[in-house]
Amino acid sequence: TLDGSDPRLAGGGISPQAHIWTNGVLTITGDLTLNIRVRTASGAWSALAQPRYLLGSRQAPRARDLLVTEIQYHPAGPDDCEFVELYNASTNLLDLSSVSLSNAVRFVFPAGYALSPGAFTVVTKSTASFAALYQAAASPWYWPGIAVAGQWSGSLDNAGETLSLVASHGVVLSS
């Protein structure tokens, strides 16, 4: 599959998102993770393999490349729906490995996390609560395609405090 889902359905069936491999059918034009399983004629499945193909060169973000575009510190719903939104304002694929949010909350981007030019990503207090409020189609605040980088520790103070975005080498990108 190309969408992050498992090609094997629960119970052993074939997912409707699965593509049957045919030599020369897949052309990779951008970064891609494949989810691959082999199914024998008898219906037995192999373990899941997830090769990642990285085609774009990455740059570490500079202050004008990675912008904090929204801080939701006092959401209409529960406080665990707080989030910080970041935007790649550059024309480069940004490597956010070890970039961090600090002071008010603590979050470190995982190794290999990249943000495409013109793309947004969100870091939130609770990925589950965020998904229920902003990623569920039935929600009035639904916004399709929101990329969530992960969940922070700590909380944003409704009375105000300092939040810093720090590059992997310790330089403050924004505060």
Side-chain angles (χ1 to χ4, degrees):
T1 60
L2 305 174
D3 64 357
S5 65
D6 193 326
R8 177 186 66 187
L9 292 174
I14 299 173
S15 167
Q17 284 77 34
H19 299 270
I20 305 301
W21 172 255
T22 305
N23 193 21
V25 170
L26 179 63
T27 302
I28 299 174
T29 59
D31 291 354
L32 176 68
T33 300
L34 295 175
N35 287 315
I36 302 170
R37 287 186 188 267
V38 175
R39 186 171 185 246
T40 67
S42 66
W45 287 91
S46 71
L48 181 65
Q50 295 177 299
R52 178 121 173 101
Y53 297 90
L54 305 174
L55 300 184
S57 61
R58 288 151 167 69
Q59 284 191 341
R62 296 173 303 205
R64 293 186 179 145
D65 292 342
L66 187 60
L67 306 177
V68 176
T69 51
E70 185 172 355
I71 301 172
Q72 177 55 278
Y73 64 92
H74 191 54
D79 279 346
D80 60 355
C81 289
E82 295 176 337
F83 67 87
V84 173
E85 179 187 75
L86 303 174
Y87 172 68
N88 180 350
S90 79
T91 58
N92 301 303
L93 182 63
L94 295 180
D95 181 6
L96 301 188
S97 300
S98 298
V99 169
S100 63
L101 290 172
S102 64
N103 293 329
V105 299
R106 289 164 303 289
F107 177 80
V108 178
F109 283 86
Y113 193 92
L115 189 60
S116 298
F120 293 87
T121 191
V122 170
V123 181
T124 183
K125 183 172 183 176
S126 166
T127 54
S129 293
F130 184 88
L133 191 60
Y134 297 106
Q135 295 176 307
S139 171
W141 292 283
Y142 172 68
W143 193 264
I146 297 174
V148 178
Q151 185 170 295
W152 68 53
S153 59
S155 292
L156 296 172
D157 186 343
N158 293 342
E161 64 191 321
T162 300
L163 175 67
S164 297
L165 180 62
V166 182
S168 60
H169 60 292
V171 171
V172 175
L173 301 170
S174 180
S175 185

